[in-house]
Amino acid sequence: QVQLVESGGGLVQAGGSLRLSCAASGRIDSINAMVWYRQAPGKQRELVALITTGGSTNYADSVKGRFTISRDNAKNTVYLQMNSLKFEDTAVYYCNTQDWAQSYWGQGTQVTVSS
């Protein structure tokens, strides 16, 4: 099995920055891509950013140019650097990965952006 634990969320003013972390443990040999999702109240969960084992990345249009996903393979950790935060970025942020058998989710970390 794989365990994912997110951290780094909090309260920040619009225009500020936060750095989220997701630490993976367990049977991680088969992990390929790591993904950040978010879910705001009353909205569907949406994909925010993705990074493959080879380092290629993809972003939602709403965060391009502001968010950066990266990974430290030695620490089995993926990061989401969030700059120029907007009120609409307020959500619970989740990390996610898959192996051949199933999908794995962390518990989520709350990000709140105030004006």
Side-chain angles (χ1 to χ4, degrees):
Q1 72 276 22
V2 175
Q3 297 85 43
L4 303 173
V5 179
E6 303 98 332
S7 62
L11 175 65
V12 64
Q13 292 190 44
S17 298
L18 285 173
R19 184 177 178 89
L20 306 184
S21 300
C22 176
S25 61
R27 298 183 63 182
I28 61 176
D29 293 352
S30 298
I31 291 175
N32 45 29
M34 296 290 293
V35 189
W36 284 100
Y37 287 82
R38 68 186 181 187
Q39 187 167 24
K43 296 184 178 180
Q44 298 291 326
R45 185 173 296 185
E46 65 174 343
L47 190 150
V48 177
L50 178 151
I51 186 167
T52 69
T53 55
S56 62
T57 60
N58 196 38
Y59 299 92
D61 288 341
S62 59
V63 306
K64 286 181 180 177
R66 300 188 298 118
F67 291 11
T68 303
I69 188 171
S70 62
R71 65 193 303 166
D72 185 336
N73 291 328
K75 298 180 179 179
N76 298 317
T77 300
V78 63
Y79 304 96
L80 186 67
Q81 178 67 46
M82 306 186 296
N83 298 326
S84 302
L85 282 162
K86 304 174 180 179
F87 174 78
E88 53 263 40
D89 295 319
T90 296
V92 178
Y93 284 71
Y94 300 89
C95 62
N96 166 267
T97 192
Q98 291 180 318
D99 59 21
W100 63 271
Q102 65 184 89
S103 179
Y104 302 92
W105 295 88
Q107 83 289 345
T109 186
Q110 176 71 50
V111 172
T112 303
V113 183
S114 66
S115 59

